[in-house]
């Protein structure tokens, strides 16, 4: 892919994000050709990484602090930790999202998905962004402490003795 075509693709992605109310900034990253950060209110901060000048794709991703894993598993046994992390990994794989750092003691967990330039439309790009967002929510919610135990028994005082489905 020619350099002008790659730059045009990166500019187009930046325009799509800006049009959807993201604040987009280019950040210094010595390990990539171009890295853009896209953020908007009440959402994650996403990274759009073009790995090298000749790459025909970008990685759409986000990073979450690894401390949440340590806090969620602070009182867990080694076996419980292994099962919990395996469940998270399988859940993320089922969402077609790649990840790094999903382990105890990690500084951050990175979730990402490649977006190839050939045939890339705004709809397909934003779909990949939503997949990464959903994976981030899945991870956050899985690691969040349970505030209180849910009472799943029906309340007869509320007018019934069984659930309505």
């Amino acid at each position: 892919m020619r350099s002008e075509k790659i730059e045009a693709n990166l500019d187009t992605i930046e325009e799509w994000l800006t049009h959807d109310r993201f604040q987009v900034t280019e950040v210094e990253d010595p390990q990539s050709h171009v890295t853009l950060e896209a953020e908007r209110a009440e959402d994650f901060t996403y990274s759009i990484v073009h790995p090298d000048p000749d790459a025909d794709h970008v990685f759409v991703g986000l990073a979450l602090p690894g401390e949440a894993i340590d806090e969620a598993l602070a009182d867990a046994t080694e076996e419980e930790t292994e099962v919990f992390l395996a469940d998270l990994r399988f859940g993320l794989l089922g969402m077609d999202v790649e990840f790094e750092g999903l382990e105890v003691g990690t500084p951050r967990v990175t979730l990402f998905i490649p977006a190839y330039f050939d045939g890339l439309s705004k709809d397909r790009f934003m779909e990949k962004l939503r997949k990464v967002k959903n994976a981030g929510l899945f991870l956050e919610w899985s690691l969040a402490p349970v505030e209180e135990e849910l009472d799943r028994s029906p309340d007869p005082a509320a007018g019934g003795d069984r659930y309505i489905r």
Side-chain angles (χ1 to χ4, degrees):
M1 201 171 233
R2 292 190 347 252
S3 178
E4 302 87 35
K5 179 99 169 148
I6 288 172
E7 293 303 320
N9 283 317
L10 292 171
D11 289 342
T12 299
I13 288 170
E14 187 173 352
E15 288 173 25
W16 291 339
L17 291 166
T18 302
H19 186 263
D20 276 20
R21 298 182 320 277
F22 282 94
Q23 298 297 317
V24 182
T25 55
E26 188 169 335
V27 295
E28 206 51 43
D29 182 1
Q31 297 180 352
S32 71
H33 175 240
V34 174
T35 297
L36 302 174
E37 273 192 357
E39 58 185 329
R40 65 180 171 191
E42 299 180 25
D43 202 347
F44 293 109
T45 298
Y46 301 93
S47 295
I48 292 56
V49 178
H50 188 241
D52 63 70
D54 297 322
D56 63 346
H57 63 283
V58 292
F59 291 104
V60 179
L62 63 89
L64 299 170
E67 295 89 34
I69 293 175
D70 296 340
E71 289 171 14
L73 297 171
D75 297 329
T77 66
E78 188 174 326
E79 184 178 326
E80 290 169 333
T81 298
E82 291 297 320
V83 169
F84 184 76
L85 291 176
D87 285 348
L88 288 179
R89 290 179 185 118
F90 283 119
L92 291 171
L93 287 174
M95 300 175 88
D96 289 330
V97 175
E98 298 177 39
F99 53 89
E100 291 177 352
L102 194 53
E103 56 199 41
V104 174
T106 187
R108 75 176 167 277
V109 178
T110 306
L111 308 171
F112 57 95
I113 190 168
Y116 289 88
F117 293 144
D118 62 331
L120 189 62
S121 64
K122 181 177 181 181
D123 184 56
R124 288 181 57 147
F125 179 80
M126 297 309 275
E127 179 182 312
K128 291 178 182 293
L129 190 79
R130 280 188 301 278
K131 277 187 175 186
V132 170
K133 177 181 182 168
N134 290 343
L137 290 172
F138 167 75
L139 192 57
E140 273 190 346
W141 294 343
S142 297
L143 296 173
V146 178
E147 295 299 324
E148 63 181 57
E149 189 65 31
L150 296 176
D151 182 11
R152 302 214 182 268
S153 60
D155 181 6
D161 60 356
R162 61 181 179 178
Y163 288 108
I164 297 173
R165 295 179 194 235

